[in-house]
Amino acid sequence: DTEVTQTPKHLVMGMTNKKSLKCEQHMGHRAMYWYKQKAKKPPELMFVYSYEKLSINESVPSRFSPECPNSSLLNLHLHALQPEDSALYLCASSHRDRTYEQYFGPGTRLTVT
Amino acid sequence: QKEVEQNSGPLSVPEGAIASLNCTYSDRGSQSFFWYRQYSGKSPELIMFIYSNGDKEDGRFTAQLNKASQYVSLLIRDSQPSDSATYLCAVVGGLNDMRFGAGTRLTVKP
């Protein structure tokens, strides 16, 4: 089973809203990731969690706030976003110690109005 | 800046032909190399990974790695129209930070 699930599939929010994206995996993976992907561009790494601790933050604006409540869950809290933040947000996971293959969820299509 | 370079394409091959996709990377410390397939509007799907120099075959796919030349490639044999997608080369550095190339768009014509 290499399934990573993400909710919601689509999200439309205003610039003053607060919303959260959710990601879940039950593969026993201990590393989880958030990526942002704009149209016709490759995914860009935002955050990496390893054993529930934030290990990489790619200088992402503070209006994006990640959270890893446990080894199976990853959240991305959104607040005061800009229209240019509209993109596909992808979650991925991997075995931290054994392999580095990352498996992606289906993504959340975010539109900021 | 650690770079991963791919030809953006588009690469067009006839059905049944071999498609050859290439990727170079700048970080000599990279140890893990991946190929993802991404259909339009979908998320990336892992199709191959390779860690050691040489070839690795899985069905119609062969990944080739040459660390001395900092080069990794993907061959798709007997290409099918369903192989039409964007192929992303990805490289993992020492901090478990995966960097993607821009992707090569492949079209397989019936």
Side-chain angles (χ1 to χ4, degrees), chain B residues 5 8 11 21-22 24 35 41 67 76 84 99-100 104:
Chain B
E5 301 285 345
S8 61
L11 174 65
L21 305 163
N22 304 315
T24 59
W35 285 99
K67 289 186 179 180
I76 307 174
S84 298
R99 307 290 173 177
F100 287 86
T104 298

Side-chain angles (χ1 to χ4, degrees), chain A residues 34-94:
Chain A
W34 281 115
Y35 290 86
K36 173 183 177 180
Q37 186 175 27
K38 304 281 277 185
K40 300 189 185 302
K41 297 290 186 181
E44 296 177 20
L45 184 64
M46 300 175 70
F47 302 105
V48 180
Y49 274 83
S50 180
Y51 290 88
E52 296 94 69
K53 294 188 186 305
L54 183 65
S55 61
I56 295 178
N57 176 340
E58 290 289 320
S59 302
V60 179
S62 59
R63 57 185 184 269
F64 296 92
S65 175
E67 177 195 20
C68 189
N70 60 56
S71 60
S72 300
L73 293 174
L74 186 66
N75 298 320
L76 186 62
H77 303 297
L78 314 173
H79 173 55
L81 295 192
Q82 304 298 309
E84 58 266 27
D85 296 321
S86 298
L88 180 67
Y89 287 83
L90 295 161
C91 175
S93 71
S94 71

Side-chain angles (χ1 to χ4, degrees), chain B residues 1-8 21-27 35 70-73 87-91 99-104:
Chain B
Q1 181 73 12
K2 299 173 184 176
E3 300 288 346
V4 181
E5 301 285 345
Q6 291 181 257
N7 290 329
S8 61
L21 305 163
N22 304 315
C23 173
T24 59
Y25 60 94
S26 62
D27 182 6
W35 285 99
Q70 295 176 246
Y71 174 90
V72 59
S73 66
Y87 288 80
L88 298 163
C89 173
V91 176
R99 307 290 173 177
F100 287 86
T104 298

